[in-house]
Amino acid sequence: MSDSEQSWECIAELVGHSSWIYGVPITSNGMLASVSGHMILLWDLETQELNAVLEGHTKTILALDRSPDSRFLASGGIDKITTLWDLETKELICTLAHRKDTIHSVAFSPDSKLLASGGENKYKTVNGQKTTIYLWDIDSQELTKTLSGHDLRVNSLAFSPDGKTLASISNDLTTRLWDVESGSQTQVWALVF
């Protein structure tokens, strides 16, 4: 059988979610994180049992990502906050900021030193009303840059493998590339129907 014809088999069903599931990052120590409403569930993949429940949000979590070094978990959601969790102690480290809009996307840089978060509402910028992406320094827990350019909600974020570029995808039907060092937009691709 070729790789393209490989059949997949379900090896486990993790039961215990009470709502839609957003995000399922797997850590290097065999844990899977999933969202159930306003809680993050940590599962042991070997035993297939619930290991911990992380509570810090008050409304549904829509975005979840783990740092590449597997030390941190970031979450964002309808309660308009981005949170940072310690995966070893399973404790909330901090709430990075209260925004005026729902957080739809979070992503760590490859070196686990930055966290990007994308929201929904437009903010007044020098370029008019634009949706923003926040870049956070993990060590200082401070906002380092605000990237403005999208016209609608930012649905997904991803860093390049070298961490120098951030890609963002929005409901405005554009994909944008950002220079992380300068915060400037370097490319825009628009979907045209």
Side-chain angles (χ1 to χ4, degrees), residues 110-121:
D111 62 4
S112 302
K113 293 185 179 193
L114 292 175
L115 177 70
S117 64
E120 179 173 303
N121 288 352

Side-chain angles (χ1 to χ4, degrees), residues 168-183:
S168 59
I169 297 173
S170 169
N171 276 4
D172 65 9
L173 304 181
T174 65
T175 299
R176 296 172 189 264
L177 297 183
W178 307 87
D179 180 272
V180 172
E181 180 67 30
S182 68

Side-chain angles (χ1 to χ4, degrees), residues 6-187:
Q6 181 179 4
S7 67
W8 292 88
E9 175 185 336
C10 178
I11 58 170
E13 185 176 328
L14 306 175
V15 180
H17 297 90
S18 62
S19 66
W20 294 85
I21 301 169
Y22 293 94
V24 286
I26 298 175
T27 65
S28 61
N29 64 350
M31 298 293 289
L32 177 136
S34 63
V35 170
S36 182
H38 66 280
M39 299 178 293
I40 299 169
L41 307 181
L42 293 178
W43 302 88
D44 183 311
L45 290 178
E46 189 174 317
T47 65
Q48 300 175 14
E49 293 185 10
L50 185 61
N51 180 276
V53 177
L54 308 181
E55 296 186 71
H57 285 272
T58 58
K59 294 185 180 174
T60 302
I61 300 167
L62 300 175
L64 191 64
D65 194 27
R66 73 148 174 91
S67 60
D69 63 8
S70 287
R71 290 179 51 214
F72 306 113
L73 193 66
S75 56
I78 294 175
D79 56 6
K80 305 172 185 173
I81 61 173
T82 301
T83 56
L84 189 63
W85 304 86
D86 183 310
L87 279 172
E88 185 177 329
T89 64
K90 298 174 180 63
E91 293 181 4
L92 178 65
I93 297 171
C94 66
T95 298
L96 291 172
H98 291 271
R99 286 180 59 133
K100 296 177 183 176
D101 59 327
T102 297
I103 307 300
H104 286 273
S105 52
V106 292
F108 282 99
S109 62
D111 62 4
S112 302
K113 293 185 179 193
L114 292 175
L115 177 70
S117 64
E120 179 173 303
N121 288 352
K122 295 180 183 180
Y123 292 88
K124 190 168 185 106
T125 69
V126 293
N127 299 321
Q129 294 280 349
K130 297 292 177 185
T131 304
T132 58
I133 299 164
Y134 287 176
L135 286 181
W136 302 94
D137 180 277
I138 296 301
D139 290 335
S140 68
Q141 301 171 8
E142 294 193 11
L143 181 65
T144 61
K145 288 188 181 60
T146 302
L147 313 177
S148 300
H150 284 291
D151 292 320
L152 295 172
R153 177 174 77 204
V154 178
N155 291 318
S156 187
L157 296 164
F159 282 89
S160 62
D162 64 7
K164 294 180 180 180
T165 303
L166 177 68
S168 59
I169 297 173
S170 169
N171 276 4
D172 65 9
L173 304 181
T174 65
T175 299
R176 296 172 189 264
L177 297 183
W178 307 87
D179 180 272
V180 172
E181 180 67 30
S182 68
S184 62
Q185 185 175 272
T186 60
Q187 296 270 350

